[in-house]
Amino acid sequence: MRYFGTMNNNNGILEIGGVSVKKLAQKYKTPLYIIDQQLVEDNILSYKNNFKSNSFETEIVYASKAFLSKGICQLLNKYDLSMDAVSAGELYTIHASNFPMNKVHMHGNNKSIEELKMCVDYNIGSVILDNVDEINNLSNICEEENKTMDVMLRLNIGIDAHTHEYIKTSKHSSKFGESIFDDKIFDVIKEISNNKNLNLLGFHCHIGSQIFDTKAFLEGIEVMIKFLKKASETLNIKIPQINLGGGFGVYYTKEDTEINIKNFMQEMIKHIEETSIKENVVLEKVTIEPGRSIIGNAGSTLYSVGYTKETFSGLKYVFIDGGMSDNIRPALYQAKYEAVVANKLNEPLTETATIAGKCCESGDLIIKNCNLAKTNYNDLILVSTTGAYGYSMSNNYNKLVRPAVVFVKDSKSQLSIKRETFETLIENDIPLDTI
Ligand SMILES: *Cc1c(COP(=O)(O)O)cnc(C)c1O
């Protein structure tokens, strides 16, 4: 397993943030999500220090859906980052953390009236409109409340990038945004810019997630700037901003060649500057929305080993006290991870075993054929890079309680989200009056 951030081998026991994971297991029990706060802060600073330009303002928006707690909101605010949200629940959580709502931007392809109202009532930074139908709903709410709202329009730019390759789609079938290849796009833009309750800041795109092919982003920049130019000329309006979305790929296993944030942010900035000069476009502000690349490597999940089993076919299993309830990504889309026996770092990796969860699904496997030190009952297994889309996709399948989330830094640990209890597990469950 690759070590990230402050991970350190102290006499065979893994420490993160200067805290032994053995101590964390004793104090908070397992399974446990551990966030390396220093690494989150370092990632934030890599973005802040390198995604900046002398020609235009920049904004870095953390994509909340990767991982959201009051603690992460506080940390982002400390470094003056912005946040996005895609639901009332995310907006509510961010608001409850006292995060400045004028730095929150609302996404979503099907925002309800309730959600749009919440955006207006909270005075959030901007709403990223996804489709034509939404324009009237938001405008009506603004009209009723006598407010104007800054908006962007999400575009489908025909670049669909995931992991190693990107595809320039000819079908353009994504559910997000309005297509730039459809001539009606100019009517949509006109409708927004003519609406007195809405202030059109610019265009948004997000071409995918866990992208390694940096060319896809560079091409996205060109498409966005050229389209912005075409739209401003066609409609004779000023459109000052673009938002390029997130999706910067991180390391999970040796198969991944992650994007180096520092280098690539500088490259992106250069490409935006050069393209806007070439196209003679004046940009006032450029925004990006990293999620996974801020929190992914900074999070790990700590489990206790239970039983082990060797099947008749010879496959060896190590069972852990969590599984697809706290990390559904392997079952959902064959995501791969690395792991160590965190209390036996100095022992040779003599065992090849499949790490399986305790849920009632054969697909509840976290890592297939993982090289590990020989495990015994109650050993600790740490799976790395579970910070993004781990807790946020967790569930109560088999009525497992969601684990706690703890932040570690400078030899101290702080609880960020409590472990669920049996009481909270059934608090919304009401017996029927009549049967
Ligand atoms: C998910 C998402 C992001 C963040 O993606 P990452 O892969 O986590 O960086 C950014 N913008 C939008 C619109 C998204 O849907």
Side-chain angles (χ1 to χ4, degrees), residues 63 65 107 154 204 206 209-210 246-248 289-292 389:
K65 70 178 191 282
H107 277 293
R154 179 159 183 169
H204 171 276
H206 172 70
S209 197
Q210 185 61 353
F248 310 105
E289 302 175 320
R292 189 193 312 267
Y389 309 103

Side-chain angles (χ1 to χ4, degrees), residues 171-182:
K171 285 196 295 232
H172 309 289
S173 50
S174 161
K175 74 169 182 175
F176 297 109
E178 294 284 359
S179 172
I180 59 167
F181 299 94
D182 191 335

